[in-house]
Amino acid sequence: MESYGYVAPSSIAEVLAVLNESTGAGQMTQLLAGGSDVLVQMRMPNHQPRTIVDIKKLAETNRLEVGAEGIYIGAAVSSAVMNEHQGLQKAMPGLLEAGDLIGSTQVQGRATICGNLCNASPAGDSIPALIAAGGICDIATATGSREMPVEDFVIGVGKNALMDGEFLLGVKFAMPNANTKDAYLRFTPRTEMDIAVAGVGVRVSVENGVCTDARVSIGAVAPTALLVSEAANALIGSTLDDVALEAAGQACKNIASPISDKRGTAEYRQKVVAVLCKRAIAIAHKRALEN
Amino acid sequence: MARLHVESTINGEAQEFLCDANQSLLDVLRDELGLTGTKEGCGTGDCGACSVLVDGRLVCSCLMLGVEASGAQVETIEGIAGDEGLHPLQNAFLENAALQCGICTPGFIVASKALLEKHPNPDESTIRYWLAGNLCRCTGYDKIIRAVQDAAAKMSHPA
Ligand SMILES: Cc1cc2nc3c(=O)[nH]c(=O)nc-3n(C[C@H](O)[C@H](O)[C@H](O)COP(=O)(O)OP(=O)(O)OC[C@H]3O[C@@H](n4cnc5c(N)ncnc54)[C@H](O)[C@@H]3O)c2cc1C
Ligand code: FES
Ligand code: FES
């Protein structure tokens, strides 16, 4: 292809048809949500011309539903729109925290958490938060749809589990009960507009002072964000006391396999991920008690 | 490939333009429509000099394709002053010496306008977080923050 093309289909079937035809003809396509990664990539000197498939005109990708049946966040819903949804603020403060850390006010006006997930950067802030919140990917396929837990979706640095011809429609969650709350914390050298040195998403359920369920996920300290079940096991059955938090932090540290770069050494990242884990649990715990 | 034909509303006026599929809204504004008030500092979403409002939402015009503005309402720095003269934010930037070279100023004013529409009386930390995506190499930011506070005060208690 010599020049870029742009299409903005208005139905799932049309998106699938474009993806299918292009694959058949050996032509490149790229899906476009908020564009905050895509437009930056398009400026790279070696970027190959391709057809940009804008998925923001579909009713399905614009769904933002919070109700007793569950929560659905469509792939075209920006962080700014999520932040303004009161039901979501109450149900998933941790996921909103992660979205609110992605770029500036301007970036959040466009950027989506699904784009962040599909982009599959090791430091993508929404990914540990989505995993902790128990997110399920809703994937459109040629034959219908398939689902996959978020923790299985990112399969490597910049690689996701979508096959040719598929795209992400949105993520869905069970509606958390009032005693279940999430939190996301990351560490960056600058407080705004920086990339995570380490990030931790957690969700805890607390009944009569005892932790009955937990999910812990760490980001930026391995090629992909990881679900740390050892950390969750250390929390479940405890009162979320210091000993349990220490053990959860240690589990995160143990499973992390960070790199050393200008943002921090591997050793430093391991220390930080343990501290963030403990702090994030304390925040989610407090939220669960306040509900 | 043929250029794309796009219709949108820019600063309240219906506009039609032709653009390439990979042309950013920023490049369309500046190169196709002659609206050069919107600046390019980085082209990668980091500096905020290209800030515009699209359907009332603050965005970086360098992170959007021109063709994505199809059917949208776009507001740029050129649309901020009214018939009666400068917007209170523009006056406050002048009175508080909140600019030196000026390249960041259109972006700061557009972003601040969006802020004051959402939070008419923002505290300092709200202003600083909201404007964290707008970079200025000259002023050291304090004068910009004071200008925004000044404009907010004047807008909520017009003299
Ligand atoms: C200034 C700046 C600061 C940033 N700061 C952060 C930060 O702090 N933390 C962070 O994690 N990220 C950050 N980012 C990166 C980026 O903003 C996020 O990754 C964002 O969430 C991407 O969402 P988007 O909707 O803009 O995605 P897009 O750019 O539209 O898409 C991202 C990728 O996913 C693919 N894609 C999009 N939608 C779908 C779909 N439905 N199905 C299949 N594939 C799809 C695209 O083809 C592309 O490869 C920053 C970017 C900028 C420009
Ligand atoms: S030019 Fe758009 S953010 Fe710098
Ligand atoms: S006045 Fe020069 S960059 Fe802000």
Side-chain angles (χ1 to χ4, degrees), chain A residues 3 43 56 84 105-106 110, chain B residues 43 51 57 68 130 134:
Chain A
S3 59
R43 284 179 67 99
K56 290 190 294 296
E84 287 163 6
T105 317
Q106 285 88 335
R110 305 285 298 171
Chain B
S51 297
R57 187 73 73 189
E68 288 182 90
W130 184 276
N134 290 82

Side-chain angles (χ1 to χ4, degrees), chain A residues 3-6 32 34-36 39-40 42-43 52 54 56 80-81 84 104-107 109-110 190-193, chain B residues 1 21-22 40 42-46 51 57-60 62-65 67-68 111 118 129-130 132-134:
Chain A
S3 59
Y4 284 86
Y6 171 88
L32 175 72
S36 61
L39 268 90
V40 175
M42 280 170 74
R43 284 179 67 99
I52 303 293
D54 189 343
K56 290 190 294 296
V81 169
E84 287 163 6
S104 56
T105 317
Q106 285 88 335
V107 170
R110 305 285 298 171
R190 189 184 174 222
T191 51
E192 274 286 291
M193 298 284 286
Chain B
M1 186 153 166
N22 61 336
E40 170 162 358
C42 63
T44 51
D46 295 291
S51 297
R57 187 73 73 189
L58 179 64
V59 303
C60 291
C62 73
L63 289 184
M64 230 182 111
L65 297 172
V67 53
E68 288 182 90
K118 201 168 176 192
Y129 273 104
W130 184 276
N134 290 82

Side-chain angles (χ1 to χ4, degrees), chain B residues 41-118:
Chain B
C42 63
T44 51
D46 295 291
C47 77
C50 65
S51 297
V52 299
L53 303 178
V54 175
D55 293 330
R57 187 73 73 189
L58 179 64
V59 303
C60 291
S61 57
C62 73
L63 289 184
M64 230 182 111
L65 297 172
V67 53
E68 288 182 90
S70 171
Q73 300 269 347
V74 180
E75 192 177 344
T76 70
I77 186 66
E78 285 88 349
I80 301 275
D83 293 336
E84 320 81 60
L86 295 183
H87 186 277
L89 273 165
Q90 292 172 309
N91 280 322
F93 269 64
L94 288 172
E95 283 161 16
N96 289 276
L99 62 149
Q100 290 178 30
C101 80
I103 190 141
C104 68
T105 314
F108 269 102
I109 289 179
V110 170
S112 303
K113 181 171 182 262
L115 166 68
L116 296 185
E117 275 162 15
K118 201 168 176 192

